[in-house]
Amino acid sequence: MSASKPTLYSYFRSSCSWRVRIALAHKGVDYDYKPIHLLKKEQVSDEFMKLNPMGQIPALIINNQTLTQSMSILEYLEEAYPQKPLLPKDLFTRAKVREVCEVISSGIQPLQNLSVLQKVGDEKKMEWGHFYINKGFVALEQLLAGCAGKYSVGDEVTLADCCLVPQVYNANRFKVEMAQFPTIVRVHDALSNLEAFKAAEPTNQPDCPEDLK
Amino acid sequence: MSASKPTLYSYFRSSCSWRVRIALAHKGVDYDYKPIHLLKKEQVSDEFMKLNPMGQIPALIINNQTLTQSMSILEYLEEAYPQKPLLPKDLFTRAKVREVCEVISSGIQPLQNLSVLQKVGDEKKMEWGHFYINKGFVALEQLLAGCAGKYSVGDEVTLADCCLVPQVYNANRFKVEMAQFPTIVRVHDALSNLEAFKAAEPTNQPDCPEDLK
């Protein structure tokens, strides 16, 4: 249904961009990658602000329309590209998938993103990020213990998995002790073996610096 | 399709519970209201934690299943009760509705909720809450200027409106200067006249103290 090739504005280490990269790879949607360097503040450049006045990535240009906000983009992709669904059919299970997504996308990530850490200040930012990821993962572990199969919710890859993997990467950056969270670790490791998840990793993006590969 | 009467665990002033109350009222879904007093920490009582181990409201019990996380509940209600839809049919417009929701539900509300303000501390909490709501509303005003009609996205009530009204209430609590945001104010005022939105207001909940009515 979507004839033109989409363009994703992304940063290799942006966890919200990463969610979208996973979904695109999982569904086999070919796209152009446009890097936006967050530390160089390219997201608030005149050129990018014309595309997304919010000054945020990811942004997905598709059929000459600009989509922003990662969960909204994921839901759009699920509706526009129904192949290899990332939401189950059963309504309660769909709600469970979205619940896992929301615990991460509203309950954890916003509290440890770059702009919040800048306001918290250099001295406190590691403690702050660690605190919120750890707190969120205590809840998430309990949630996944009740709904995970091979992956976050049951045995099929879902939107929940698109959110989980980038958040675990951030947990490691903030030195969260992952041994507390056996279900999260097990699911994360299973997902990491899948081709779509490998393709979406920061180190496989064109804007990943050579010394981080 | 949902035969049993749902039960909503709510607190009159919880903005996330409020979002769900609006959707239930809009769709004409009758439900039982169970108050959970956040300041008395009833959300982490043994009894409530059996229902929702996350210790958070809202929670919606429906057909003996527990749903949590407000945006996930809203999407469930939209799928289970398709009458009076809160998402448009066009895929891009649906994405726009969810984008507005996400700017609020991930970009603003999590940064000014009770537990974050407690960590920030009494001295700084007003400045902190004000800063994040104001910053979010600057972006939201620009977004709505491009997509609002009578309401947040076009001329029909959508999920975006369920998120907008409670967030404006919080903006007022944090003394954000609303004259900066004419589109937000106009849409908020139009929504406030609708019966479903009146029914969902904090002052119309059974657990609203008499002196706040």
Side-chain angles (χ1 to χ4, degrees), chain A residues 1 19 53-54 65-73 75-76 79-80 87 91-92 94-96 98-99 102-103 105-107 110-111 115-116 119-120 124 127-128 131-132 135 139-140 142-143, chain B residues 1 19 53-54 65-73 75-76 79-80 87 91-92 94-96 98-99 102-103 105-107 110-111 115-116 119-120 124 127-128 131-132 135 139-140 142-143:
Chain A
M1 75 139 276
R19 295 171 189 164
M54 313 281 285
Q65 291 178 304
T66 307
L67 304 176
T68 68
Q69 298 289 324
S70 63
M71 301 312 302
S72 172
I73 295 174
E75 294 273 358
Y76 175 90
E79 294 175 346
L87 280 171
L91 295 197
F92 179 73
R94 289 167 79 83
K96 187 57 68 179
R98 289 180 171 128
E99 186 179 316
E102 198 173 345
V103 166
S105 70
S106 291
L111 292 163
S115 70
V116 172
K119 185 164 167 69
V120 169
K124 291 185 183 165
E127 185 276 331
W128 178 279
F131 175 83
Y132 279 108
K135 184 182 173 200
L140 189 63
Q142 200 163 351
L143 182 57
Chain B
M1 74 138 279
R19 295 172 188 163
M54 313 281 285
Q65 291 179 305
T66 307
L67 304 176
T68 68
Q69 297 290 323
S70 63
M71 300 313 300
S72 171
I73 295 173
E75 293 273 359
Y76 175 90
E79 293 175 347
L87 282 171
L91 295 196
F92 178 73
R94 289 167 78 84
K96 188 55 69 177
R98 289 178 170 129
E99 186 180 318
E102 198 173 346
V103 166
S105 70
S106 290
L111 292 163
S115 70
V116 172
K119 186 164 167 66
V120 169
K124 291 185 185 165
E127 185 276 329
W128 178 279
F131 175 83
Y132 279 109
K135 183 181 174 203
L140 188 63
Q142 200 162 352
L143 182 56

Side-chain angles (χ1 to χ4, degrees), chain A residues 1 9 14 31 42-43 52-53 57 66 72 77 81 84-85 87-88 98 102 107 127 136 140 145 149 156 176 194 210:
Chain A
M1 75 139 276
Y9 289 79
S14 147
Y31 63 98
E42 289 179 356
Q43 72 277 20
N52 180 13
I57 52 164
T66 307
S72 172
L77 292 174
Y81 301 94
K84 295 195 77 184
L87 280 171
R98 289 180 171 128
E102 198 173 345
E127 185 276 331
L140 189 63
E156 302 293 334
V176 170
L194 304 178
E210 281 304 320

Side-chain angles (χ1 to χ4, degrees), chain B residues 6-213:
Chain B
T7 299
L8 179 67
Y9 289 78
S10 168
Y11 179 57
F12 74 107
R13 208 151 57 177
S14 147
S15 64
C16 296
S17 303
W18 188 350
R19 295 172 188 163
V20 176
R21 296 196 303 256
I22 294 170
L24 288 165
H26 176 82
K27 288 176 176 288
V29 179
D30 192 25
Y31 63 98
D32 289 320
Y33 187 102
K34 290 279 175 81
I36 296 293
H37 200 304
L38 292 189
L39 299 180
K40 292 183 185 161
K41 296 192 184 297
E42 289 178 358
Q43 73 278 20
V44 290
S45 67
D46 289 347
E47 193 187 342
F48 186 72
M49 292 286 276
K50 277 181 204 155
L51 276 178
N52 181 13
M54 313 281 285
Q56 291 176 335
I57 54 166
L60 187 73
I61 314 294
I62 190 161
N63 296 328
N64 296 316
Q65 291 179 305
T66 307
L67 304 176
T68 68
Q69 297 290 323
S70 63
M71 300 313 300
S72 171
I73 295 173
L74 290 180
E75 293 273 359
Y76 175 90
L77 291 174
E78 181 66 5
E79 293 175 347
Y81 301 93
Q83 71 266 27
K84 294 193 80 183
L86 288 164
L87 282 171
K89 286 210 170 80
D90 172 70
L91 295 196
F92 178 73
T93 319
R94 289 167 78 84
K96 188 55 69 177
V97 169
R98 289 178 170 129
E99 186 180 318
V100 174
C101 290
E102 198 173 346
V103 166
I104 297 169
S105 70
S106 290
I108 304 176
Q109 196 280 335
L111 292 163
Q112 52 94 87
N113 74 14
L114 190 59
S115 70
V116 172
L117 295 176
Q118 284 167 344
K119 186 164 167 66
V120 169
D122 276 347
E123 202 177 315
K124 291 185 185 165
K125 72 181 184 187
M126 274 302 288
E127 185 276 329
W128 178 279
H130 182 281
F131 175 83
Y132 279 109
I133 299 175
N134 197 81
K135 183 181 174 203
F137 273 22
V138 168
L140 188 63
E141 174 67 22
Q142 200 162 352
L143 182 56
L144 292 194
C147 68
K150 205 163 150 187
Y151 305 123
S152 297
V153 181
D155 294 329
E156 302 293 332
V157 173
T158 65
L159 294 180
D161 300 309
C162 300
C163 294
L164 184 76
V165 167
Q167 191 59 58
V168 170
Y169 177 86
N170 282 350
N172 286 323
R173 289 183 69 198
F174 284 94
K175 305 191 190 309
V176 170
E177 182 43 75
M178 291 300 295
Q180 302 168 84
F181 311 119
T183 317
I184 295 175
V185 169
R186 176 179 63 74
V187 169
H188 171 270
D189 291 352
L191 291 165
S192 301
N193 287 322
L194 303 179
E195 287 308 316
F197 285 76
K198 285 184 192 166
E201 278 176 13
T203 50
N204 287 327
Q205 305 318 305
D207 57 337
C208 181
E210 281 303 320
D211 60 334
L212 293 180
K213 282 185 180 173

